Amino acid sequence: MSKTRKDSLFLAAGVLGALGAFSAGLAIGRGLTKSGTTATGLPRASVLDTLALGLDVFAPVVAQGVIIRRPAVVALADKLDLDRRAVQRMQKLRDKYGPGPLMLPLPIRKQAVVLDPRHAQRVLDGSPDPFSPASTEKRGALSHFEPKAVLLSEGAERSERRRFNEAALDTAHPMHRMAAGFLPLVEEEAARILEAAREQGRLDWDVWSQGWYRLVRRIVLGNGAAEDHELQAMITRLRGAANWAGFHPTLRGKRERFLERIRMYLDRAEPGSLAGFMAQIPRNALTVPEQQVPQWLFAFDAAVIASFRALALLDSYPEHLQRAREESAGRAGKPQLPFLRATVLEALRLWPTTPMVLRQSRAPTQWEDGAMPAETGLLVHAPFFHRDDAHLPYADRFAPELWREDWEQGVKRDWPLIPFSDGPAICPGRHLVLMTSSHLLAALLEKHTLRLENRRLDPARLPGTLDNYGLRFAVS
Ligand code: HEM
């Protein structure tokens, strides 16, 4: 067994062990199965249910890596179908406790779990006030490489950084203003990926992710960063520390060198890149542009994962593959590619890359069943809402028709499908990333056939977890 694989398995065992010990401690002095309500009327989970939630929902996400994935643990999670177990655990809690929000009897922290679709929408629509995205856990993790990012900011700083992000990422438009410059880069990198895949006889994760990372550096920082593997290594190292949140010391020197490097690219402002585009966007002392960019580099990772899974989805549904091909062939005249965007969105619905959307209430809030104190953490578990087979007929299958209109017309649905979160703190990069990934898929699929070599997905019941690192495609 390789060292990283061993480390990852030890880590998984460690997280589970720590949770077990923590919850056993909780059980002392409280009845194991005693559930009830808080003084103000919200339901409170029993210690046993809290332990089960920790083991089935929380531990697999932490063990797989919140900020950067650990491939060996993702493979294990796939084998054991852990994400399906997580959804089933959440369903049991809803059946037992009703709509909630469900308070957990944790000694060190006020924590609630959102179980009702309307509550999920309320929490996301009520961000950043009173439900702040800058939760304690997120601060602990992301401050390892971007302490002044919008996601960790509040008040006037948040408003200014959000404005800046929206302007730079052109959040309001499905096609970024710089699309005419970015799309040829996508075509070039797709050709390189295909060439490398043909050379080694298959398309695997290494070829795919290396091609993507190059593309991301070119789009965000400029062609001058195409071969900056050192920058990639720097952010990978800092994200590795961020996986441990407050349990890992902050690598201040490394963080400063990383941010210095980003500043260098922003000063260079290469035409045709986001760095060049954002140079003309007004800023002030609160903006701190070089600390907004790490989130972009980091967040593109989700697209690398989701678009590889999207290829696996298309391989499993030949009629949809045909449609994707037709759309790819016409992309010069119709560049918005709604079907391929929907395919990526489906990969994100089925296997959300941000499974835990976290908020922290900054004021007391009132719910149908009772009051919640200020400074309560709220967990919106995206897979529970995305794959709830008790309510959604499409829970476990590929349903691109779900996304037909809403990305274009802003239709509000009555069920939270939230791969990019929702409300005022919704991902400002979603259109840019959907544009990029749909075009990369189009460039690959137009003239090539990619067949999954080592895996068959059951189209009637897609797996709870899909290990993207292990997928391999034959290219012809
Ligand atoms: C498939 C790819 C992506 C997915 C699934 C995704 C998803 C998300 C989600 C769920 C959030 C909310 C997080 C939270 O509230 O805790 C978020 C926030 C954010 N995303 Fe993305 N994202 C993606 C790509 C990108 C890209 C490529 C960029 C920039 C180029 C970006 C920029 C941001 C920023 C700046 C925020 C913070 C927004 C705020 O706090 O107001 N994302 N993203």
Side-chain angles (χ1 to χ4, degrees):
M1 201 187 295
S2 73
K3 184 175 175 314
T4 39
R5 199 177 171 85
K6 258 194 225 155
D7 284 352
S8 301
L9 294 179
F10 278 134
L11 175 84
V15 171
L16 294 177
L19 255 165
F22 175 69
S23 303
L26 255 184
I28 298 168
R30 292 182 196 244
L32 260 182
T33 54
K34 194 165 166 271
S35 55
T37 53
T38 62
T40 63
L42 288 178
R44 184 172 51 215
S46 70
V47 171
L48 215 54
D49 284 332
T50 306
L51 173 61
L53 180 83
L55 287 176
D56 287 344
V57 178
F58 173 74
V61 172
V62 174
Q64 285 178 73
V66 177
I67 304 297
I68 189 163
R69 298 286 189 269
R70 302 181 176 100
V73 188
V74 176
L76 188 67
D78 182 331
K79 206 167 276 173
L80 303 176
D81 213 12
L82 290 186
D83 292 316
R84 192 184 305 281
R85 276 178 74 100
V87 172
Q88 288 166 347
R89 173 60 56 198
M90 294 289 293
Q91 289 172 319
K92 279 185 194 148
L93 292 178
R94 177 192 49 208
D95 294 348
K96 179 165 173 185
Y97 293 98
L102 178 63
M103 300 299 292
L104 303 182
L106 303 181
I108 43 166
R109 173 172 172 66
K110 288 171 277 186
Q111 179 66 46
V113 180
V114 174
L115 295 173
D116 185 276
R118 286 163 309 145
H119 292 167
Q121 209 59 59
R122 173 179 169 194
V123 169
L124 299 178
D125 286 346
S127 304
D129 190 24
F131 303 112
S132 171
S135 65
T136 310
E137 310 75 15
K138 245 181 267 173
R139 279 182 197 276
L142 296 177
S143 54
H144 280 277
F145 59 96
E146 49 176 28
K148 296 186 178 167
V150 58
L151 201 44
L152 304 186
S153 309
E154 305 208 56
E157 289 180 339
R158 161 166 267 280
S159 307
E160 166 55 18
R161 291 169 191 168
R162 177 78 200 187
R163 177 202 66 77
F164 186 81
N165 270 276
E166 289 192 7
L169 302 173
D170 204 6
T171 303
H173 299 111
M175 300 297 287
H176 194 284
R177 252 167 264 210
M178 298 284 290
F182 293 162
L183 295 182
L185 304 182
V186 176
E187 298 285 332
E188 276 175 42
E189 292 303 333
R192 286 173 74 108
I193 289 175
L194 282 168
E195 197 185 310
R198 270 196 306 264
E199 248 168 46
Q200 68 162 23
R202 69 173 69 95
L203 176 60
D204 63 9
W205 178 257
D206 276 350
V207 167
W208 179 253
S209 55
Q210 290 314 312
W212 250 112
Y213 294 149
R214 222 180 107 87
L215 172 62
V216 171
R217 289 191 298 270
R218 293 178 75 187
I219 289 180
V220 176
L221 304 171
N223 288 328
E227 297 303 330
D228 194 347
H229 302 287
E230 207 180 322
L231 179 79
Q232 202 73 36
M234 283 174 168
I235 192 168
T236 303
R237 176 71 189 93
L238 292 168
R239 287 172 61 191
N243 261 357
W244 295 95
F247 298 104
H248 196 291
T250 307
L251 306 169
R252 286 180 204 285
K254 286 196 166 58
R255 182 175 73 191
E256 197 33 55
R257 280 194 293 283
F258 167 66
L259 293 174
E260 185 51 48
R261 187 101 151 203
I262 297 211
R263 262 193 296 270
M264 185 266 287
Y265 283 115
L266 298 191
D267 290 345
R268 199 185 276 177
E270 196 181 303
S273 67
L274 279 177
F277 179 70
M278 69 200 249
Q280 16 109 19
I281 299 174
R283 66 207 52 205
N284 62 34
L286 301 182
T287 320
V288 201
E290 74 275 16
Q291 292 222 23
Q292 310 314 311
V293 173
Q295 176 73 23
W296 308 352
L297 296 171
F298 148 60
F300 257 115
D301 242 29
V304 184
I305 295 172
S307 50
F308 212 40
R309 288 172 172 162
L311 280 177
L313 273 179
L314 289 170
D315 178 72
S316 313
Y317 291 79
E319 71 286 8
H320 290 314
L321 177 60
Q322 185 50 34
R323 177 125 184 244
R325 280 236 161 87
E326 285 161 18
E327 193 174 78
S328 306
R331 69 186 179 284
K334 289 188 181 163
Q336 293 206 355
L337 307 184
F339 185 76
L340 281 162
R341 281 183 195 230
T343 303
V344 177
L345 281 161
E346 270 299 86
L348 286 165
R349 175 184 68 84
L350 290 158
W351 302 290
T353 47
T354 309
M356 291 192 173
V357 181
L358 303 174
R359 294 289 181 267
Q360 197 155 319
S361 62
R362 292 291 181 234
T365 49
Q366 190 61 43
W367 305 79
E368 292 88 334
D369 290 339
M372 185 187 286
E375 297 308 326
T376 301
L378 292 109
L379 163 66
V380 180
H381 185 248
F384 166 55
F385 290 109
H386 291 188
R387 300 201 60 177
D388 180 4
D389 58 2
H391 288 91
L392 309 175
Y394 51 79
D396 292 331
R397 64 173 178 81
F398 177 35
E401 67 278 6
L402 281 176
W403 303 96
R404 198 170 296 144
E405 284 170 348
D406 68 328
W407 69 271
E408 267 175 320
Q409 294 162 18
V411 175
K412 267 271 180 219
R413 50 179 88 246
D414 54 10
W415 194 268
L417 299 183
I418 49 165
F420 288 104
S421 175
D422 206 348
I426 192 172
C427 173
R430 67 194 181 285
H431 284 317
L432 172 63
V433 83
L434 288 173
M435 177 186 96
T436 319
S437 39
S438 58
H439 273 266
L440 189 67
L441 291 176
L444 292 180
L445 292 171
E446 186 189 355
K447 293 189 185 133
H448 290 80
T449 304
L450 296 152
R451 294 306 323 259
L452 249 185
E453 235 181 26
N454 59 341
R455 182 94 197 235
R456 281 283 151 265
L457 304 185
D458 175 359
R461 188 173 155 83
L462 291 166
T465 314
L466 180 60
D467 170 19
N468 48 289
Y469 303 101
L471 299 175
R472 282 203 310 270
F473 297 86
V475 182
S476 55

